[in-house]
Amino acid sequence: MTGDEIITIRGRKVVPGVAEGEALVTTEPISGWGGVDPRNGTVVEMRHELRGQSFAGKVLVFPGAKGSSGWSAQFHVARLMGTAPAAWLFNQMTTKVALGTVVTHAPAMTDFDIDPLTVIRTGDWVRVDADAGVVTVRRARSPCAAK
Amino acid sequence: MRLTDEEKAMRDGRDGPAVAKAMDLLIRYGEALGAQGLVETRNVCGTVTATTPFLRDFAYEKGGLDAVFSEFNLDSSEVVPTPRVKAFSSHLQLGFDPHHPAEMGVSDEIVQFYKRSEAAAARMGVQILNTCTPYQVGNVPTRGEHCAWMESSAVVYCNSVLGARTNTEGRESASSAMVTCRIPDWGFHRDEFRRGTLGVRLEMPVESVEDWGLFGYWMGEWVQDRVSVIEGVGPVPNLPRLKHFGAAASSSGGVEMFHLVGVTPEASTVEQAYGGNRPTDVRPYGPKERAETLARINMTGIDRKVDYVMLGCPHYTIEQIWEAACLLEGRKVHADSALWIFTPRAIKEVATRNGYTQIIEAAGAKLLTDSCSAMSRAVPPGTRVAAFDSAKQAHYLPAILGVQAWFGTTSQCIDAACTGRWSGA
């Protein structure tokens, strides 16, 4: 057996802290108000590729925030209900995503040297060390690729 | 982030624990954005009241309304006494109309809880405007004024039409600005963010309120949150047109600012609107785009029997209420349909003095305030099919409540309410 594949990405701290978890990746921006249900930590937006999936305790990897100014309030409630993501990795900075990640108190990063959407896959194990500006992605090496 | 001595003093507790918590939130938020510092603001629009069972339970368990304000407005789990505001602060729309709780399916207990929190907000010095359109009822910022506003349709109006400067704030940042007169100096507070980066060329007349909503919905889908420069504007659009345009564009995309060349304050000329930027793309808007947009907004509309018509998204102006009253006078809302019209409390007062409220009520319709169906998730019982003269409401309600939506003119909507059938597109 070969060891796991390890990928390292560097970026800028948005919210301090260190956390790890399973990645949930989407190339579609996420809406707060009207887009997620904080009671169970799922995406509810019609036609969103993550509709019905839970982000609770995951490392959410996404392009950025969209929609109503209620974005932060939805994820603020998610934190109090224990359904917020464990960490956030995103590309496009806006006031919605900045405030929303701040009020969840979960580590968040942006401004990466490698676009996380191109290298992280749903199910990868991801460690986010926002204080050091380092994301470590761990993935079981495919048995086919290992030959 | 660089802080002034005044800001450091607020952070360190000179003005009490709530102001210190607010400054702490603004510093964390500003650093998240990558802002260099804070900017002074004396004009804030936000939400500080509590309207949900979740917040009621939180208040009972954690220490009353001070606990709600600390957690949900200052991001502080430590309960601090709610302070008076320092900035001129306006309250936005709510989750229901407290004057008509029964229609909106709200229990008396929740209304009583809300009334306590409204009284607390008033004691703080927050103006109880309770509207998504504060610029209609006493809060019209000056060009260049730094603001801290929530509510996407108000933000785009503030930046684009008034030339004032605001980002899309959230509950916590707006409340922190109310008690500190500060907000991160980032985004639309800065000249370089406000300049156009791409353009639209109008190839057909855009004139009616419906036209402007369709154009806004089309533009938002294309530009998302980029700043667009629109050329070829015909007759100067008035407040209801620009209110609908911005609301539609901020719903389908995330438009926070646009320039109408020759109309809006930072676009006297094309050159001024771009401010030295080269447009990345310029697209035409004509009859084909309009027709496709109308079809897309009406995508969920199948059944022509209309159970509910909602007007007043964003909240109606007195001009729009006058128009609706003229269309309704002498008619009756169909027995199988309902018509609700939303406006700010202050404008309802004028409508009542002018006799419009009486005309609307005599027709069997309702003139409501403080909220809308999207905010309240409230529609008349049994509603399956709804009609709107707002692209924003037609965008949100099928997603929020699963209803079918028809979009058209105010006149088509009022006809639908009175006949119980959709006869528009």
Side-chain angles (χ1 to χ4, degrees), chain B residues 115-150:
Chain B
K115 285 184 174 167
R116 276 178 49 216
S117 86
E118 182 184 296
R123 277 196 302 276
M124 287 177 71
V126 176
Q127 314 306 322
I128 309 299
L129 301 184
N130 290 13
T131 177
C132 49
T133 59
Y135 50 86
Q136 287 204 76
V137 284
N139 187 349
V140 187
T142 303
R143 179 174 176 187
E145 185 174 353
H146 291 284
C147 300
W149 284 21
M150 290 177 72

Side-chain angles (χ1 to χ4, degrees), chain A residues 132-147:
Chain A
V134 176
V135 179
T136 312
V137 185
R138 182 183 295 271
R139 174 185 306 153
R141 207 180 283 276
S142 147
C144 302
K147 272 195 179 168

Side-chain angles (χ1 to χ4, degrees), chain B residues 82-336:
Chain B
T82 305
R84 299 257 170 139
V85 301
K86 288 182 188 159
F88 172 50
S89 301
S90 302
H91 205 287
L92 294 167
Q93 73 278 16
L94 321 173
F96 54 82
D97 177 352
H99 314 91
H100 295 268
E103 289 91 326
M104 310 204 103
V106 175
S107 72
D108 190 54
E109 189 213 347
I110 288 292
V111 175
Q112 295 312 319
F113 174 64
Y114 166 73
K115 285 184 174 167
R116 276 178 49 216
S117 86
E118 182 184 296
R123 277 196 302 276
M124 287 177 71
V126 176
Q127 314 306 322
I128 309 299
L129 301 184
N130 290 13
T131 177
C132 49
T133 59
Y135 50 86
Q136 287 204 76
V137 284
N139 187 349
V140 187
T142 303
R143 179 174 176 187
E145 185 174 353
H146 291 284
C147 300
W149 284 21
M150 290 177 72
E151 169 51 40
S152 60
S153 71
V155 165
V156 64
Y157 196 92
C158 183
N159 279 320
S160 313
V161 180
L162 303 177
R165 298 181 170 220
T166 184
N167 293 309
T168 302
E169 297 303 337
R171 181 169 178 132
E172 302 86 353
S173 58
S175 304
S176 296
M178 288 178 185
V179 301
T180 61
C181 293
R182 294 295 189 285
I183 201 74
D185 186 7
W186 189 86
F188 290 102
H189 294 287
R190 305 188 67 83
D191 290 342
E192 61 272 23
F193 255 74
R194 304 177 63 81
R195 297 171 185 145
T197 62
L198 76 179
V200 178
R201 203 173 52 249
L202 292 182
E203 295 194 335
M204 67 176 293
V206 175
E207 292 177 356
S208 67
V209 173
E210 182 195 31
D211 287 343
W212 280 97
L214 287 168
F215 173 41
Y217 200 81
W218 172 84
M219 190 181 82
E221 283 195 324
W222 172 45
V223 308
Q224 292 298 309
D225 55 6
R226 292 173 291 181
V227 179
S228 55
V229 175
I230 298 141
E231 293 180 72
V233 180
V236 175
N238 65 356
L239 190 157
R241 287 163 175 78
L242 294 177
K243 166 168 78 76
H244 190 196
F245 176 62
S250 63
S251 301
S252 62
V255 174
E256 293 170 273
M257 180 150 192
F258 59 80
H259 297 284
L260 296 181
V261 175
V263 178
T264 56
E266 292 169 47
S268 300
T269 62
V270 176
E271 292 70 28
Q272 186 199 8
Y274 282 113
N277 287 340
R278 283 173 58 90
T280 54
D281 194 0
V282 178
R283 291 193 186 175
Y285 176 84
K288 176 171 159 285
E289 287 76 18
R290 186 190 193 280
E292 287 169 358
T293 305
L294 182 60
R296 203 153 46 246
I297 297 179
N298 278 326
M299 197 171 59
T300 62
I302 299 163
D303 300 323
R304 291 201 169 248
K305 183 179 169 301
V306 171
D307 308 306
Y308 172 49
V309 176
M310 195 206 101
L311 307 175
C313 168
H315 278 171
Y316 254 13
T317 67
I318 190 64
E319 180 191 3
Q320 290 177 296
I321 294 176
W322 167 54
E323 183 191 356
C326 291
L327 289 164
L328 265 177
E329 193 163 21
R331 300 173 78 184
K332 287 278 184 202
V333 172
H334 192 272
D336 297 334

